[in-house]
Amino acid sequence: MSLANNIASTLYRTAEQFAEQPAIYHGEAVYVSWQQLLERVEQLAALLQQLGLAEGDCVGLAMTNCPAYIETLYACWRLGLIAVPMNAKGHASDFQYMLEHSRSRVCLVSDALLPTINKACDDSARDITVLSVNSDELSRQLSQVDTASLLPVSQNAELPAWLFYTSGTTGRPKGATLTHGNLLAMADAFFQDLEEVESGDHLIHAAPMSHGSGLYIIPHIIKGACQVVPVSGKFNGPELVSLINHFGNSRVFAAPTMLQRLLEDPATDSLPGLKTIILGGGPLYVQDCINALRKFGPKIAQIYGQGETPMTITGMTRQAVQQAYEQNDSAYLGSVGSPFSSVEVAVVDEQGKPLPAGTAGEIVVRGPTVMQGYWENPPATADTIRDGWLYTGDIGTFDVNGVLTLKDRSKDLIISGGTNIYPREVEEILITHPDIKEACVVGVTDPEWGESVAAVVVTEAGAELSSDEIDQFCIEHLARFKRPKRYLVASELPKNATGKVLKAKVKAMLEH
Ligand code: AMP
């Protein structure tokens, strides 16, 4: 088990051990050594301290994948600040909400997001300082700060470290408050039950660092493994393949959609440099898993987690996946594996009573990785954490061997390419259009994305609306990835006797 109570302390230990060796690569080029990483983290922490930030303050991170992401996270933790990594694909209004709700006074921004964040901060009544992580001005300021004045590292494991904003069914994102203790427990769970991390490993960030890939920075820094940030700053098949093979012992966290794209790419016929692809964030279909094992060999692992218990509910190691493949055990390949040993996982009925193997119910989790609660949202926290158990909203069954299979997830959540989209949020935007009376948004099966967003809208009497007009409206008000890919204008929505919209019927309308 880890002895540190602050994630930043682990960087001090690793920097001492691996000093001049490379810590971060940008593409194939060394970006910094461990010693340089520590120096830059201390400089940024000292600058944030100079700006008046203190333990427990929030700092927004609006960045596409870039090496500075790692420096920024550790600088926040070094000073006891709470990092608020935000989905880089968000709309200015999403950023504004998260910055205001977290009461962030500073937002660190990478170049591509500067216009969006400047707009979000201009529109905000709060005073938020925007710092561009790529600017010469920041480099100049960092070179002048006095790191000797830095306060000692706080060793309070209960201190929040990461606000993980997830969209809520109310349409407003909720900030799962993850403490240093939660995230260090996540790293320990990884080592104990998923796989060892060695200093010669490379973690390649092809998935968003604001989510799973970023969380995995922590176990890799603890063990002195290098981080590799693709120059494109995103998932790009040929670039990823080339980096995997260039570095060797490469580990990648990927959503199943990324795996599908790799499988379709002829350049991925040979991935000798790959150690493991860890899949998570959405359903991994058995056929995709088998295709990946055939193409890449025994290198596929899977985790099931959620922001509220990061990366840690159940998992399956690459050895377990390979064994199931060799034994033709498609039930195991279609499952999400067994609980991590540091958490308790149960399947319960509506009264919270444990259900026997084979019976479907809600998956609940208890243990050191479970969030402290939702940031400044006691009602949502009380609703989600009951008697110490986290109610995941996912439906599943255990088999007699304790292997969990996800049957469904909370009914209306759409997972498109591994990203969660909550229909209510999209519906709330659609119905603000003056010509739209009602809207119902659902996920429809999509061969590429798993699911894609689709909407049925009912227009006001006499109004005429084209799909293009609705789409344009969504582009103006919603993050692009959340907007429906298909619209159907109907005279009414199917409803039950009490007036509830029948989503299954809406889906059927869109799929036929
Ligand atoms: P997030 O909080 O964004 O990480 O999303 C978490 C949700 O994604 C979970 O509650 C599940 O519904 C889904 N999810 C995560 N991992 C898996 C997995 N391995 N298989 C299927 N669904 C998953």
Side-chain angles (χ1 to χ4, degrees):
M1 293 291 275
S2 171
L3 293 172
N5 282 325
N6 183 306
I7 306 161
S9 299
T10 67
L11 174 61
Y12 279 81
R13 284 196 231 154
T14 302
E16 198 176 355
Q17 197 178 351
F18 297 102
E20 300 308 323
Q21 292 178 35
I24 306 178
Y25 289 88
H26 196 200
E28 293 181 9
V30 176
Y31 176 76
V32 279
S33 69
W34 288 102
Q35 196 51 48
Q36 287 167 326
L37 172 60
L38 183 58
E39 278 163 21
R40 292 168 68 103
V41 162
E42 288 203 326
Q43 286 171 344
L44 184 53
L47 182 70
L48 294 170
Q49 185 176 290
Q50 245 179 40
L51 290 174
L53 297 182
E55 188 171 309
D57 286 343
C58 288
V59 172
L61 271 62
M63 296 187 219
T64 48
N65 284 7
C66 59
Y69 220 111
I70 301 161
E71 297 167 349
T72 307
L73 284 170
Y74 279 77
C76 288
W77 297 332
R78 168 63 187 81
L79 200 60
L81 306 177
I82 307 168
V84 187
M86 297 178 285
N87 184 342
K89 292 192 207 151
H91 186 268
S93 59
D94 298 329
F95 288 111
Q96 186 185 338
Y97 176 77
M98 288 182 268
L99 289 167
E100 288 180 347
H101 182 253
S102 61
R103 281 183 277 106
S104 292
R105 284 177 42 208
V106 170
C107 184
L108 289 138
V109 189
S110 62
D111 275 349
L113 289 171
L114 259 181
T116 310
I117 297 303
N118 282 332
K119 170 157 180 24
C121 294
D122 287 350
D123 289 351
S124 174
R126 290 183 60 84
D127 191 11
I128 304 164
T129 304
V130 175
L131 288 184
S132 159
V133 292
N134 309 111
S135 69
D136 293 341
E137 172 57 15
L138 185 69
S139 308
R140 194 190 56 74
Q141 287 177 311
L142 291 177
S143 66
Q144 289 174 357
V145 289
D146 172 19
T147 53
S149 60
L150 261 177
L151 293 168
V153 182
S154 155
Q155 290 296 337
N156 173 9
E158 299 297 310
L159 186 67
W162 183 312
L163 289 197
F164 190 106
Y165 272 94
T166 58
S167 294
T169 42
T170 55
R172 280 300 192 193
K174 288 180 289 192
T177 305
L178 304 173
T179 64
H180 285 263
N182 290 149
L183 294 170
L184 289 166
M186 172 201 76
D188 282 331
F190 185 101
F191 304 140
Q192 228 158 56
D193 296 316
L194 206 63
E195 60 187 20
E196 253 316 317
V197 174
E198 288 164 277
S199 60
D201 292 347
H202 300 90
L203 176 66
I204 305 187
H205 293 286
M209 292 168 85
S210 55
H211 289 74
S213 204
L215 287 162
Y216 277 163
I217 294 169
I218 299 165
H220 287 79
I221 286 210
I222 292 175
K223 297 287 179 166
C226 298
Q227 316 274 327
V228 180
V229 185
V231 173
S232 69
K234 57 183 182 206
F235 174 82
N236 172 306
E239 183 186 30
L240 178 59
V241 169
S242 146
L243 290 174
I244 287 173
N245 290 335
H246 173 79
F247 286 103
N249 288 327
S250 301
R251 188 174 287 110
V252 183
F253 172 75
T257 320
M258 289 163 60
L259 179 73
Q260 282 167 356
R261 290 215 225 153
L262 277 181
L263 286 169
E264 283 159 15
D265 191 334
T268 45
D269 268 348
S270 155
L271 278 184
L274 181 67
K275 193 164 191 177
T276 320
I277 296 191
I278 302 167
L279 294 150
L284 170 61
Y285 299 110
V286 176
Q287 196 51 53
D288 287 338
C289 184
I290 291 172
N291 291 345
L293 290 161
R294 285 199 185 125
K295 211 166 177 185
F296 308 140
K299 297 173 175 183
I300 308 297
Q302 194 190 167
I303 61 102
Y304 157 53
Q306 58 176 203
E308 291 81 351
T309 171
M311 316 303 263
T312 320
I313 301 176
T314 63
M316 46 220 284
T317 62
R318 55 195 152 110
Q319 294 82 359
V321 172
Q322 178 65 16
Q323 196 184 5
Y325 170 59
E326 285 167 9
Q327 296 174 348
N328 243 331
D329 184 351
S330 55
Y332 187 80
L333 293 180
S335 79
V336 286
S338 317
F340 279 89
S341 48
S342 57
V343 293
E344 291 172 84
V345 182
V347 166
V348 299
D349 66 13
E350 278 165 13
Q351 282 73 46
K353 281 225 228 39
L355 290 165
T359 309
E362 183 164 358
I363 298 159
V364 296
V365 188
R366 184 163 72 171
T369 52
V370 171
M371 65 168 181
Q372 206 169 56
Y374 289 116
W375 183 254
E376 305 213 327
N377 195 341
T381 304
D383 203 36
T384 308
I385 302 180
R386 287 175 250 156
D387 296 328
W389 289 90
L390 170 78
Y391 281 68
T392 62
D394 291 320
I395 307 299
T397 50
F398 271 119
D399 72 6
V400 286
N401 300 314
V403 171
L404 185 70
T405 299
L406 290 188
K407 291 288 178 213
D408 203 352
R409 41 183 188 269
S410 41
K411 267 199 293 189
D412 47 3
L413 171 68
I414 301 169
I415 300 189
S416 185
T419 303
N420 291 354
I421 299 164
Y422 283 82
R424 173 82 179 263
E425 193 186 349
V426 184
E427 288 162 5
E428 280 178 5
I429 296 294
L430 284 171
I431 57 173
T432 61
H433 189 291
D435 289 335
I436 295 179
K437 192 163 83 175
E438 281 183 290
C440 177
V441 170
V442 291
V444 292
T445 311
D446 182 301
E448 191 184 356
W449 300 100
E451 276 186 303
S452 63
V453 185
V456 174
V457 300
V458 178
T459 50
E460 296 289 352
E464 291 225 342
L465 258 184
S466 69
S467 293
D468 283 349
E469 286 171 285
I470 311 175
D471 199 41
Q472 193 49 44
F473 182 77
C474 284
I475 288 172
E476 281 162 24
H477 296 92
L478 203 61
R480 294 182 85 90
F481 74 97
K482 292 181 189 165
R483 75 189 208 278
K485 288 203 167 56
R486 240 203 103 188
Y487 301 93
L488 191 71
V489 178
S491 54
E492 58 178 19
L493 292 175
K495 293 182 186 153
N496 70 9
T498 59
K500 253 184 170 344
V501 177
L502 298 165
K503 289 215 161 189
K505 287 211 168 144
V506 171
K507 247 184 209 226
M509 285 164 75
L510 286 154
E511 280 177 340
H512 290 114

